[in-house]
């Protein structure tokens, strides 16, 4: 043994140099930690106590394994319609995930090796509202079944073509006693205007002996749209248990459909409540046929899990004509706002607002004010004179833009953006759609979207990513919609059939293809839920993969994101989501980016983490996103710190 105290100077210098060049010691094994639900727990906190990976060693992360769903080869051109948004779960000793085309796989948590695979054979090339998406699957242990019996452990998965499967978690085979040979037709009896007008994109939830399923429904197509009915089934037999129509409580004479639950749901098993984030009624941008109380649309709704009856409901928008759905999973957490801890529901919105509600009755934990908003709607419309705003935190995205705020790299393209903004109706958030064209800021993609937020319970901090772009929405007289479509191929123009107006929706871009509002176009925020104050916010993502070479000119300016963050016990925040091909780790205290790992395709998904046999893994789906046109792929990638053997 060499003592540094007595070593000659030359020897000491040599030893210090060797120490500096040596790789860090492998981390000590950690207790196993799972991720049993889409949002880590049934309440969707997206938090894990796993702490083997820390701010001090995160730079050592390497790819530990990867798994390919095989769909890049099998689906071919259909992948252009696919978004790999899945978050895997770890339950019962296996990882489970779904592909955009609803193929379910069980993987070995240590190696990523496939243990089984089930393909429901969803037809390709169907025009679904959200392209092909499967955000996750659901695990359930039947407490009445023998421990090793068939289907004692089940995986529930709901498909784009509206089927609900119960699979044996050990083998992947459909459970024969569930529905018809393991499947229930969720769309049975629903009359659709076209084959793909309704789909299921988010995972079911199980609560108090029922499995609950939502749906995604066409936007902007017609007044008389399919209702957004939520359905519950017996998890053993598939027998229907109850249905809940968010519009059933609407005033007589309100004519609309949708108000569906397309985003993930949450469960408070102890209280027997299922929490729903509901969307806007149809059509999105003209509500003259739905004057009056719109029931439980645009709301956080708490349902009794056993009966489907509403316990309470809180509307985040009144009479929505902006497509401001409640887009994200309600997060259930104990919030210590103002020094008093309350079991709460934290609900982020497309408007960049965060509502914090008491879980038992829906009353605001952080006060909410009704504030006056712009009026002067299209003929036949009647707007709400006010809209709800929480007093804290402040809006996380800008809610007003002026022509002088226009962005451009040169006076030429900035001038073009200035004219686009100045030429539209633009009085801040909740300016009503118009035939002149109206600026929607935030745009209908958020603010916050389906990725939701992560909540660190010990630090009482919520982490959330937002996007910031401008939409211009123009109302088109119904008799001109057909001609507008013919004259503007490739532009989103929808009929809103039955309404006096169709709609045109477009992101405001400069002649160079850059957004007309100033960056950052995407950010990651940290909010202290004890005070409602924003602790920090930093740009998220670069233009490297959208416009190669532009990063040198624009730097880390922040880009839009699809997916959400995940927080860990060591104080790290992991997030992909940005429209580039990276998974990143941030210091939860400061917002400093500590590490980023290159992905083989777009990482527009929410990561998860677990500890298996003493080693912590961070896993993300890297397959790209159809609506943001990021690089397609079919790979699940797991990162971990090197072990003593170097693996």
């Amino acid at each position: 043994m060499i003592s540094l105290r007595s070593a000659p100077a030359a020897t000491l210098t040599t030893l210090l140099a060797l120490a500096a060049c040596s790789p860090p010691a492998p981390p000590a094994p950690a207790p196993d930690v799972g991720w049993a639900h889409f949002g880590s727990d049934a309440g969707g906190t997206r938090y894990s106590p796993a702490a083997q990976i820390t701010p001090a060693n995160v730079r050592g992360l390497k790819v530990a394994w990867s798994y390919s769903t095989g769909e890049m080869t099998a689906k071919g051109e259909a992948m252009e319609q696919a978004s790999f948004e899945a978050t895997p779960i770890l339950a019962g000793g296996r990882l489970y995930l779904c592909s955009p085309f609803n193929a379910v796989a069980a993987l070995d948590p240590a190696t990523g090796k496939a243990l089984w695979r089930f393909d429901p054979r969803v037809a390709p090339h169907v025009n679904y509202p959200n392209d092909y998406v499967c955000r996750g699957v659901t695990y359930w242990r039947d407490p009445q079944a023998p421990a090793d019996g068939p289907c004692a452990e089940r995986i529930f998965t709901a498909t784009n073509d509206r089927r609900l499967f119960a699979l044996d978690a050990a083998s992947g085979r459909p459970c024969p006693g569930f529905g018809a040979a393991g499947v229930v037709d969720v769309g049975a009896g629903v009359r659709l205007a076209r084959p793909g007008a309704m789909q299921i994109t988010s995972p079911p939830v199980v609560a108090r002996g029922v499995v609950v399923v939502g749906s995604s429904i066409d936007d902007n197509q017609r007044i008389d749209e399919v209702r957004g009915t939520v359905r519950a089934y017996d998890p053993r037999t598939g027998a229907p248990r109850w249905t809940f129509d968010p519009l059933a409580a609407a005033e007589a004479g309100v004519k609309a459909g949708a108000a569906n639950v397309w985003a993930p749901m949450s469960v408070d098993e102890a209280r027997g409540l299922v929490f729903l984030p509901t969307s806007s009624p149809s059509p999105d941008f003209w509500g003259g046929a739905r004057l009056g109380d719109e029931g439980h649309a645009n709301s956080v709704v708490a349902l009794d899990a056993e009966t489907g009856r509403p316990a309470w409901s809180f509307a985040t928008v009144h009479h929505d004509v902006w497509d401001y759905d409640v887009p994200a999973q309600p997060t259930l957490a104990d919030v210590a706002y103002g020094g008093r801890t309350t079991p709460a529901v934290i609900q982020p919105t497309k408007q960049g607002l965060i509502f914090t509600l008491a879980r038992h009755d829906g009353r605001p934990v952080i006060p909410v004010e009704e504030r006056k908003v712009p009026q002067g709607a299209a003929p036949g419309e009647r707007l709400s004179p006010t809209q709800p705003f929480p007093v804290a935190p402040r809006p996380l995205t800008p809610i007003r833009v002026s022509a002088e705020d226009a962005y451009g790299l040169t006076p030429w393209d900035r001038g073009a953006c200035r004219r686009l903004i100045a030429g539209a109706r633009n009085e801040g958030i909740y300016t009503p759609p118009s035939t002149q064209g109206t600026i929607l800021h935030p745009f209908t993609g958020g603010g916050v979207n389906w990725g939701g937020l992560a909540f660190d319970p010990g630090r009482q901090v919520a982490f959330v990513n937002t996007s910031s772009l401008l939409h211009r929405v123009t109302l088109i007289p119904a008799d001109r919609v057909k001609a507008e479509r013919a004259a503007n191929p490739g532009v989103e123009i929808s009929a809103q059939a039955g309404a006096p107006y169709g709609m045109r929706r477009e992101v405001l871009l400069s002649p160079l293809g850059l957004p007309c509002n100033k960056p950052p176009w995407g950010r990651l925020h940290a909010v202290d839920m004890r005070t409602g104050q924003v602790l920090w916010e930093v740009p998220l993502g670069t233009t490297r993969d959208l416009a190669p070479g532009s990063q040198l000119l624009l730097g880390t300016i922040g880009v839009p994101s699809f997916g959400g963050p995940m927080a860990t016990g060591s104080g790290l925040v992991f997030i992909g989501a940005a429209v580039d091909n990276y998974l990143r780790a941030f210091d939860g205290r400061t917002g400093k980016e500590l590490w980023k790992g290159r992905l083989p395709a777009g990482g527009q998904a929410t990561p998860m983490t677990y500890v298996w046999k003493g080693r912590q893994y961070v896993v993300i789906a890297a397959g790209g996103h159809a609506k943001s046109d990021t690089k397609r792929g079919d790979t699940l990638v797991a990162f971990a710190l090197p072990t003593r053997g170097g693996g």
Side-chain angles (χ1 to χ4, degrees):
M1 180 176 180
I2 299 175
S3 168
L4 293 183
R5 185 183 299 276
S6 60
T11 305
L12 178 60
T13 301
T14 301
L15 288 171
L16 291 174
L18 287 172
C21 296
S22 300
D32 286 355
V33 176
W35 185 285
H37 302 267
F38 169 78
S40 179
D41 51 56
T45 61
R46 291 170 189 79
Y47 171 81
S48 170
Q52 186 182 72
I53 302 168
T54 70
N57 64 23
V58 67
R59 290 184 181 275
L61 284 180
K62 304 292 182 185
V63 174
W65 55 258
S66 63
Y67 165 78
S68 169
T69 68
E71 288 185 345
M72 281 297 290
T73 299
K75 300 300 182 184
E77 292 182 1
M79 290 297 289
E80 294 303 309
Q81 297 174 267
S83 298
F84 198 3
E85 298 180 357
T87 299
I89 60 173
L90 175 66
R94 304 175 189 88
L95 274 177
Y96 301 97
L97 79 151
C98 57
S99 75
F101 293 89
N102 299 113
V104 180
L107 310 179
D108 183 303
T111 65
K113 179 182 178 182
L115 303 174
W116 57 255
R117 184 176 184 273
F118 171 79
D119 187 350
R121 301 188 183 280
V122 172
H125 306 297
V126 176
N127 181 22
Y128 286 113
N130 289 288
D131 300 304
Y132 286 86
V133 170
C134 180
R135 297 192 179 100
V137 300
T138 302
Y139 171 90
W140 180 65
R141 173 70 173 86
D142 185 350
Q144 298 179 11
D148 297 324
C151 291
E153 297 175 278
R154 299 185 180 205
I155 297 297
F156 291 106
T157 184
T159 64
N160 288 281
D161 59 5
R162 305 170 301 281
R163 292 176 289 164
L164 173 65
F165 284 88
L167 307 177
D168 178 27
S171 67
R173 289 189 288 269
C175 297
F178 182 85
V183 61
V184 168
D185 182 1
V186 177
V190 178
R191 298 183 63 182
L192 300 177
R194 61 178 189 83
M198 172 184 169
Q199 67 183 134
I200 304 171
T201 55
S202 292
V205 295
V206 181
R208 292 289 179 98
V210 298
V211 54
V212 186
V213 186
S215 64
S216 181
I217 293 173
D218 264 344
D219 279 350
N220 313 313
Q221 299 304 307
R222 59 194 59 81
I223 286 177
D224 192 15
E225 188 55 87
V226 170
R227 292 291 184 98
T229 302
V230 176
R231 296 168 173 85
Y233 301 91
D234 186 294
R236 298 180 184 87
T237 67
R241 290 285 296 272
W242 52 255
T243 62
F244 170 72
D245 176 3
L247 293 177
E251 286 185 9
V254 170
K255 188 177 182 182
N260 49 294
V261 178
W262 61 264
M265 297 171 281
S266 298
V267 168
D268 184 331
E269 183 71 22
R271 288 178 172 83
L273 296 176
V274 177
F275 295 87
L276 314 179
T278 65
S279 78
S280 56
S282 63
D284 285 339
F285 299 109
W286 191 80
R290 46 182 169 88
L291 302 180
D293 189 324
E294 297 173 357
H296 299 297
N298 293 98
S299 297
V300 183
V301 185
L303 295 185
D304 182 291
E306 295 179 86
T307 66
R309 288 194 292 266
W312 58 260
S313 178
F314 180 91
T316 62
V317 185
H318 307 314
H319 190 70
D320 184 7
V321 291
W322 303 274
D323 191 16
Y324 283 158
D325 302 344
V326 183
Q329 183 177 23
T331 296
L332 310 186
D334 291 342
V335 173
Y337 179 75
R340 180 180 178 181
T341 300
T342 305
V345 182
I346 310 173
Q347 184 62 67
T349 71
K350 287 184 179 181
Q351 302 93 294
L353 306 175
I354 295 179
F355 292 89
T356 307
L357 312 171
R359 206 178 309 167
H360 67 285
D361 64 5
R363 295 180 181 179
V365 173
I366 298 179
V368 173
E369 299 176 343
E370 289 288 335
R371 299 175 186 170
K372 292 182 179 180
V373 292
Q375 298 295 293
E381 187 69 87
R382 188 169 69 216
L383 301 172
S384 171
T386 64
Q387 292 292 347
F389 290 82
V391 300
R394 60 168 171 76
L396 298 181
T397 49
I399 58 175
R400 181 179 293 273
V401 65
S402 71
E404 293 308 307
D405 295 326
Y407 177 74
L409 295 179
T410 69
W412 168 68
D413 65 312
R414 183 168 182 264
C417 281
R418 188 184 296 115
R419 289 189 293 274
L420 287 171
I421 295 172
R425 187 174 176 191
N426 176 27
E427 299 158 36
I429 192 171
Y430 297 120
T431 302
S434 62
T435 55
Q436 175 186 350
T438 291
I439 299 294
L440 268 61
H441 191 35
F443 81 141
T444 64
V448 185
N449 211 285
W450 59 266
L453 59 79
F455 181 75
D456 184 323
R459 299 173 177 87
Q460 284 286 302
V461 176
F463 303 99
V464 62
N465 53 304
T466 61
S467 299
S468 181
L469 296 177
L470 306 179
H471 261 146
R472 180 176 61 192
V473 171
T474 306
L475 296 179
I476 306 166
D479 60 358
R480 288 173 40 196
V481 170
K482 186 175 180 180
E484 285 286 322
R485 280 177 171 167
N488 297 278
V491 176
E492 183 188 7
I493 297 174
S494 298
Q496 301 196 139
Y501 302 98
M503 57 73 63
R504 172 174 175 158
R505 176 169 52 181
E506 52 205 324
V507 176
L508 280 196
L509 301 176
S510 76
L512 297 180
L514 293 172
C516 277
N517 56 305
K518 293 178 181 177
W521 301 309
R523 290 189 289 187
L524 179 65
H525 315 256
V527 178
D528 186 338
M529 295 303 294
R530 294 167 297 192
T531 64
Q533 299 303 303
V534 177
L535 298 174
W536 52 258
E537 50 194 10
V538 295
L540 175 63
T542 71
T543 58
R544 169 178 172 175
D545 296 302
L546 283 178
S550 64
Q551 186 181 358
L552 297 176
L553 179 64
L554 300 175
T556 303
I557 58 171
V559 294
S561 56
F562 297 93
M566 174 267 291
T568 73
S570 68
L572 288 171
V573 181
F574 287 91
I575 186 168
V579 287
D580 58 18
N581 303 345
Y582 287 105
L583 174 65
R584 294 177 167 87
F586 291 83
D587 187 324
R589 299 167 303 167
T590 65
K592 180 180 179 181
E593 183 180 307
L594 301 177
W595 169 86
K596 61 182 178 183
R598 189 71 173 157
L599 300 173
Q604 288 74 57
T606 302
M608 55 84 76
T609 190
Y610 60 93
V611 180
W612 182 254
K613 295 185 178 179
R615 190 181 191 192
Q616 185 179 356
Y617 299 82
V618 178
V619 180
I620 188 168
H625 193 270
K627 293 192 184 301
S628 56
D629 201 27
T630 47
K631 182 181 178 182
R632 302 301 195 280
D634 62 7
T635 306
L636 190 71
V637 183
F639 294 89
L641 296 171
T643 61
R644 190 169 300 278

